[in-house]
């Protein structure tokens, strides 16, 4: 008999819908609550491979992610006049992952994952949890707009700024490691030039600006810049002001991109941080994805890890027939070391994305150029890209919407994965 069947999941980003899908497969009744009134669009693009890709495949999403995604050919670093000064062909990523590597919008991945649970699980949009009170056999949840309800378990999948984490574990600053950078992204239409499937990067000490051509005549711009410990502005107008001040003296296409920035109604802006917690659960409440263990954009794998944590948490709950203490303990035992290694790798990479000195920029560019030496890119990138964790096998009942045969029901052969 499975215990603790009803699970409230806060957040319909990446970890949230993945968790709902696998909980449903394990015989639970997930309910999702998302603060936004609808699924979010825009944002930024992510590289997607490894365990996240494997899980997406088991959910029957491979074709869709390749349909909406991009296959980047080249990473090109340019100087102030737009001349190529460094870079490399990205075929090494495809070789190392055997073609299981794609770049797609974070919101597109979120939408594809949500498509697997909308209609089969209850979803509340435009609301959020404002109070959580653990009782002997349940958690009493207070919603901002929707009154109160009881659930057996609650999971925070509400991202870096998790409200569930704050309510249950305390304020974010206790768990946050700021990496000294901020990130901003926005999209524009009709921007020229367009370099299809090329990630173009312009760098100055402590500042990086990237341009990536999207379909439908859209272009994505990504800023990563050093901030030290300064507090960051929290309104779009002041965020734009800070970006303008930081990039005003930049060459290349900086001034035109700042003009586009002035016109955009939607700006993604955040600190580059990691979340490191001594434990990912307390009582009947657990955390997944960025809420539990954000690795930051510098790891280039946060979405995959969010899906992996969701998959493992659901799997351990199914394995323990809903005994949450046992499942939560195992969930951490499987993942903690793996996540710590990813977090350490991201900190090492920080200096490479936006080096803070001219010498650092020059050195980074030399390393990139050396990637043309046969085998070197494979050696350097391989260590970071190949996952050392093997996805555990779990017994699932019926996973609706998965590719036939992709989700094993009990018993499972270890050779399948
Ligand atoms: C610029 C940038 C580039 C990145 N590049 C990559 C990459 O190349 N590859 C990669 O794998 N990862 C990348 N990442 C990281 C990746 O986007 C995150 O790790 C991933 O989105 C985490 O998923 P999540 O579901 O935990 O959180 P999120 O995706 O942040 O989703 C959280 C959800 O919770 C909702 N929410 C928030 N607060 C509440 C609340 N109080 N109540 C209810 N709902 C709430 C939000 O609206 C959102 O829908 C990048 C991140 C950034 C910023």
């Amino acid at each position: 008999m499975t215990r603790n069947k009803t699970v409230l999941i806060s957040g319909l980003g990446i970890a949230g819908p993945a968790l709902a899908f696998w909980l449903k497969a394990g015989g639970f009744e997930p309910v999702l609550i998302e603060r936004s009134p609808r699924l979010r669009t825009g944002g930024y693009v992510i590289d997607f491979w490894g365990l996240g890709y494997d899980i997406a495949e088991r959910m029957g999403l491979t074709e869709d992610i390749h349909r909406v995604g991009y296959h980047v050919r080249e990473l090109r670093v340019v100087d102030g006049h737009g001349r190529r000064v460094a870079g490399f062909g990205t075929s090494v990523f495809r070789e190392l992952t055997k073609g299981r590597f794609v770049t797609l919008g974070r919101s597109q991945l979120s939408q594809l994952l949500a498509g697997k649970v909308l209609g089969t699980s209850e979803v509340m949009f435009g609301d959020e949890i404002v109070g959580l009170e653990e009782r002997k056999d349940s958690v009493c949840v207070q919603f901002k707009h929707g009154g109160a309800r009881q659930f057996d378990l609650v999971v925070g999948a509400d991202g870096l700024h998790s409200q569930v984490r704050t309510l249950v574990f305390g304020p974010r600053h206790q768990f946050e490691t700021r990496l000294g950078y901020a990130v901003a992204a926005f999209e524009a239409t009709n921007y020229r030039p367009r370099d299809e499937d090329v990630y173009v990067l312009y760098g100055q000490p402590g500042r990086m600006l990237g341009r990536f051509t999207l379909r439908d005549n859209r272009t994505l711009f990504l800023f990563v810049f050093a901030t030290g410990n300064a507090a960051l502005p929290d309104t779009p107008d002041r965020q734009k002001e800070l970006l303008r001040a930081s990039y005003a003296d930049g060459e290349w296409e900086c001034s035109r991109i700042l003009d586009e920035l002035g016109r955009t109604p939607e700006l993604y802006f955040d600190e580059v941080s990691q979340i490191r917690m001594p434990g990912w659960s307390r009582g009947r409440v657990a955390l997944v994805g960025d809420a539990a263990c954000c690795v930051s954009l510098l790891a280039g794998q946060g979405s995959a890890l969010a899906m992996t944590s969701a998959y493992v948490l659901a799997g351990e709950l199914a394995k323990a027939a809903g005994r949450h203490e046992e499942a939560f303990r195992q969930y951490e035992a499987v993942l903690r070391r793996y996540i710590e290694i990813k977090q350490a790798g991201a900190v090492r990479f920080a200096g490479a994305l936006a080096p803070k000195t001219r010498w650092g920029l020059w050195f980074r560019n030399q390393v990139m150029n050396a990637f043309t030496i046969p085998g070197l890119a494979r050696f350097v990138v391989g260590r970071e890209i190949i996952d050392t964790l093997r996805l555990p096998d779990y017994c699932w009942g019926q996973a609706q919407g998965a590719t036939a045969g992709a989700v094993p029901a009990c018993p499972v052969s270890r050779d399948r994965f």
Side-chain angles (χ1 to χ4, degrees), residues 322-337:
R323 288 185 299 276
H324 63 285
E325 294 99 337
E326 186 182 327
F328 291 172
R329 211 171 30 248
Q330 265 310 109
Y331 158 57
E332 279 196 44
V334 172
L335 286 180
R336 183 166 279 279
R337 181 77 193 119

Side-chain angles (χ1 to χ4, degrees), residues 215-362:
R215 292 191 190 94
D216 303 324
N217 203 15
R218 291 173 303 132
T219 302
L220 173 79
F221 303 103
L222 180 76
F223 304 76
V224 179
F225 58 106
T227 55
N229 283 328
L232 292 179
D234 53 6
T235 64
D237 284 346
R238 292 182 50 223
Q239 291 163 352
K240 286 182 182 181
E241 236 170 69
L242 177 62
L243 287 167
R244 269 194 292 269
S246 305
Y247 287 83
D249 63 348
E251 296 179 283
W252 183 53
E253 298 168 13
C254 286
S255 66
R256 288 174 47 216
I257 294 173
L258 290 177
D259 288 346
E260 295 288 353
L261 172 74
R263 289 189 280 273
T264 188
E266 252 187 69
L267 174 69
Y268 170 86
F269 188 100
D270 209 343
E271 195 142 12
V272 179
S273 302
Q274 292 186 336
I275 296 294
R276 301 179 194 167
M277 302 186 69
W280 298 336
S281 67
R282 184 169 287 174
R284 294 179 164 271
V285 180
L287 302 172
V288 285
D290 277 6
C293 53
C294 178
V295 288
S296 86
L297 76 117
L298 301 168
Q301 224 183 342
S303 299
L305 298 179
M307 288 175 67
T308 306
S309 63
Y311 172 89
V312 171
L313 180 59
E316 293 299 336
L317 274 166
K319 191 161 116 191
R323 288 185 299 276
H324 63 285
E325 294 99 337
E326 186 182 327
F328 291 172
R329 211 171 30 248
Q330 265 310 109
Y331 158 57
E332 279 196 44
V334 172
L335 286 180
R336 183 166 279 279
R337 181 77 193 119
Y338 173 69
I339 298 282
E340 284 170 356
I341 292 170
K342 295 288 174 192
Q343 289 189 322
V347 172
R348 280 198 305 276
F349 182 65
L353 190 62
K356 290 183 180 163
T357 61
R358 289 210 172 277
W359 188 87
L361 267 176
W362 177 85

Side-chain angles (χ1 to χ4, degrees), residues 14-15 34-35 40 44 47 106 128 268 290 300-303:
I14 306 295
E34 165 59 50
R35 185 168 56 186
R40 290 160 67 185
Y44 47 88
D47 294 327
R106 177 211 155 275
E128 60 186 301
Y268 170 86
D290 277 6
Q301 224 183 342
S303 299

Side-chain angles (χ1 to χ4, degrees), residues 9-18 32-35 129 155-159 164:
I9 303 167
S10 173
L12 192 63
I14 306 295
L32 286 136
I33 180 163
E34 165 59 50
R35 185 168 56 186
I129 300 172
V155 181
D158 43 358
V164 171

